[in-house]
Coordinates of all heavy atoms in Angstrom, one line a residue:
R99 N -6.9 2.7 -21.8 CA -8.2 2.0 -22.1 C -9.3 3.0 -22.0 O -9.5 3.6 -21.0 CB -8.4 0.9 -21.1 CG -9.6 0.0 -21.3 CD -9.9 -0.9 -20.1 NE -8.8 -1.8 -19.8 CZ -8.7 -3.0 -20.2 NH1 -9.7 -3.6 -20.9 NH2 -7.7 -3.8 -19.8
E100 N -10.0 3.2 -23.2 CA -11.0 4.3 -23.2 C -12.0 3.9 -24.2 O -11.7 3.5 -25.4 CB -10.3 5.6 -23.6 CG -11.2 6.8 -23.7 CD -10.5 8.0 -24.1 OE1 -9.2 8.1 -24.0 OE2 -11.1 9.0 -24.4
A101 N -13.3 4.1 -23.9 CA -14.5 3.9 -24.8 C -14.4 2.6 -25.5 O -14.6 2.5 -26.7 CB -14.5 5.1 -25.8
G102 N -14.1 1.5 -24.7 CA -14.1 0.2 -25.3 C -12.9 -0.1 -26.2 O -13.0 -1.1 -27.0
Q103 N -11.9 0.7 -26.2 CA -10.7 0.5 -27.0 C -9.5 0.4 -26.1 O -9.4 1.1 -25.1 CB -10.6 1.6 -28.0 CG -11.5 1.5 -29.2 CD -11.0 2.4 -30.4 OE1 -10.3 3.4 -30.2 NE2 -11.4 2.0 -31.6
L104 N -8.6 -0.4 -26.6 CA -7.3 -0.5 -25.9 C -6.2 0.1 -26.8 O -6.1 -0.1 -28.0 CB -6.9 -2.0 -25.7 CG -7.6 -2.8 -24.6 CD1 -7.1 -4.2 -24.5 CD2 -7.3 -2.1 -23.2
E105 N -5.3 0.9 -26.2 CA -4.2 1.5 -26.9 C -3.0 0.6 -26.5 O -2.6 0.6 -25.3 CB -3.9 2.9 -26.5 CG -2.7 3.5 -27.2 CD -2.4 4.9 -26.7 OE1 -3.0 5.3 -25.7 OE2 -1.6 5.6 -27.3
L106 N -2.5 -0.2 -27.5 CA -1.4 -1.1 -27.2 C -0.1 -0.8 -27.9 O -0.1 -0.3 -29.0 CB -1.9 -2.5 -27.7 CG -3.2 -3.1 -27.0 CD1 -3.6 -4.4 -27.7 CD2 -3.0 -3.2 -25.5
L107 N 1.0 -1.1 -27.3 CA 2.3 -1.0 -27.8 C 2.9 -2.4 -27.9 O 3.0 -3.1 -26.9 CB 3.2 0.0 -27.0 CG 4.5 0.4 -27.7 CD1 4.1 1.5 -28.7 CD2 5.5 0.9 -26.8
V108 N 3.4 -2.8 -29.1 CA 3.9 -4.1 -29.3 C 5.4 -4.0 -29.6 O 5.8 -3.3 -30.5 CB 3.1 -4.8 -30.5 CG1 3.6 -6.2 -30.7 CG2 1.6 -4.7 -30.3
M109 N 6.2 -4.9 -28.9 CA 7.6 -4.9 -29.1 C 8.1 -6.4 -29.2 O 7.3 -7.3 -28.8 CB 8.3 -4.2 -27.9 CG 7.9 -2.8 -27.7 SD 8.3 -2.2 -26.0 CE 7.0 -3.0 -25.1
Q110 N 9.3 -6.5 -29.6 CA 9.9 -7.9 -29.6 C 10.4 -8.2 -28.2 O 11.3 -7.5 -27.7 CB 11.1 -7.9 -30.6 CG 10.7 -7.8 -32.1 CD 10.1 -9.0 -32.6 OE1 10.2 -10.1 -32.0 NE2 9.4 -8.9 -33.7
R111 N 9.9 -9.2 -27.6 CA 10.2 -9.6 -26.2 C 11.7 -9.8 -26.1 O 12.4 -9.4 -25.2 CB 9.4 -10.8 -25.8 CG 9.7 -11.2 -24.3 CD 8.8 -12.4 -23.9 NE 7.4 -12.0 -23.9 CZ 6.8 -11.5 -22.9 NH1 7.5 -11.2 -21.8 NH2 5.5 -11.2 -23.0
Q112 N 12.3 -10.6 -27.0 CA 13.7 -11.0 -26.9 C 14.6 -9.7 -27.0 O 15.6 -9.6 -26.3 CB 14.0 -12.0 -28.0 CG 15.5 -12.5 -27.9 CD 15.8 -13.5 -29.0 OE1 15.0 -13.9 -29.8 NE2 17.0 -14.0 -29.0
Q113 N 14.2 -8.8 -27.9 CA 15.0 -7.6 -28.1 C 15.0 -6.7 -26.8 O 16.0 -6.2 -26.4 CB 14.5 -6.8 -29.3 CG 15.2 -5.5 -29.5 CD 16.7 -5.7 -30.0 OE1 16.9 -6.0 -31.1 NE2 17.6 -5.6 -29.0
V114 N 13.8 -6.6 -26.2 CA 13.7 -5.8 -25.0 C 14.5 -6.5 -23.9 O 15.2 -5.8 -23.1 CB 12.2 -5.6 -24.6 CG1 12.1 -4.9 -23.2 CG2 11.5 -4.8 -25.6
Q115 N 14.4 -7.8 -23.7 CA 15.2 -8.4 -22.7 C 16.7 -8.3 -22.9 O 17.5 -8.2 -22.0 CB 14.8 -9.9 -22.7 CG 13.3 -10.1 -22.2 CD 12.9 -11.6 -22.2 OE1 13.6 -12.4 -22.9 NE2 11.9 -11.9 -21.5
Q116 N 17.1 -8.3 -24.2 CA 18.5 -8.1 -24.5 C 19.0 -6.7 -24.1 O 20.0 -6.5 -23.5 CB 18.8 -8.3 -26.0 CG 20.2 -8.1 -26.4 CD 20.5 -8.3 -27.9 OE1 19.7 -8.9 -28.6 NE2 21.6 -7.8 -28.4
W117 N 18.1 -5.7 -24.4 CA 18.5 -4.3 -23.9 C 18.6 -4.2 -22.4 O 19.5 -3.6 -21.9 CB 17.4 -3.4 -24.5 CG 17.6 -3.1 -26.0 CD1 18.7 -3.2 -26.7 CD2 16.5 -2.7 -26.9 NE1 18.4 -2.9 -28.0 CE2 17.1 -2.6 -28.2 CE3 15.2 -2.5 -26.7 CZ2 16.3 -2.2 -29.3 CZ3 14.4 -2.1 -27.8 CH2 15.0 -2.0 -29.1
L118 N 17.6 -4.9 -21.7 CA 17.7 -4.8 -20.3 C 18.9 -5.5 -19.7 O 19.5 -5.0 -18.7 CB 16.4 -5.5 -19.7 CG 15.1 -4.7 -19.9 CD1 13.9 -5.6 -19.4 CD2 15.1 -3.4 -19.3
A119 N 19.3 -6.6 -20.4 CA 20.6 -7.2 -19.9 C 21.8 -6.3 -20.2 O 22.7 -6.3 -19.3 CB 20.7 -8.6 -20.7
E120 N 21.8 -5.6 -21.3 CA 22.9 -4.7 -21.6 C 22.9 -3.6 -20.6 O 24.0 -3.1 -20.1 CB 22.8 -4.2 -23.0 CG 23.0 -5.2 -24.1 CD 22.9 -4.7 -25.5 OE1 22.9 -3.4 -25.6 OE2 22.8 -5.5 -26.4
C121 N 21.7 -3.1 -20.2 CA 21.7 -2.0 -19.2 C 22.2 -2.5 -17.8 O 23.0 -1.8 -17.2 CB 20.2 -1.5 -19.0 SG 19.6 -0.6 -20.4
A122 N 21.9 -3.7 -17.5 CA 22.4 -4.3 -16.2 C 23.9 -4.4 -16.3 O 24.6 -4.1 -15.3 CB 21.8 -5.7 -16.0
A123 N 24.5 -4.8 -17.5 CA 25.9 -4.9 -17.6 C 26.6 -3.5 -17.5 O 27.7 -3.4 -17.1 CB 26.3 -5.5 -18.9
L124 N 25.8 -2.4 -17.9 CA 26.4 -1.1 -17.7 C 26.2 -0.5 -16.4 O 26.6 0.7 -16.1 CB 25.7 -0.1 -18.8 CG 25.9 -0.4 -20.2 CD1 25.0 0.5 -21.1 CD2 27.4 -0.2 -20.6
G125 N 25.6 -1.3 -15.5 CA 25.5 -0.8 -14.1 C 24.2 0.1 -13.9 O 24.1 0.8 -12.9
L126 N 23.2 0.0 -14.8 CA 22.0 0.7 -14.7 C 20.9 -0.1 -14.0 O 20.8 -1.3 -14.2 CB 21.5 1.1 -16.1 CG 22.3 2.2 -16.8 CD1 21.8 2.4 -18.2 CD2 22.2 3.6 -16.0
Q127 N 20.1 0.6 -13.2 CA 18.9 0.0 -12.6 C 17.7 0.5 -13.3 O 17.2 1.6 -13.0 CB 18.9 0.3 -11.0 CG 17.7 -0.3 -10.4 CD 17.6 0.1 -8.9 OE1 18.3 0.9 -8.4 NE2 16.6 -0.6 -8.2

Side-chain angles (χ1 to χ4, degrees):
R99 186 191 299 262
E100 181 180 345
Q103 283 197 334
L104 283 177
E105 182 186 9
L106 301 175
L107 194 78
V108 184
M109 302 161 284
Q110 293 285 343
R111 181 178 296 274
Q112 182 178 2
Q113 180 64 80
V114 173
Q115 291 176 344
Q116 178 181 343
W117 286 333
L118 291 175
E120 293 180 14
C121 289
L124 294 173
L126 287 171
Q127 182 184 5

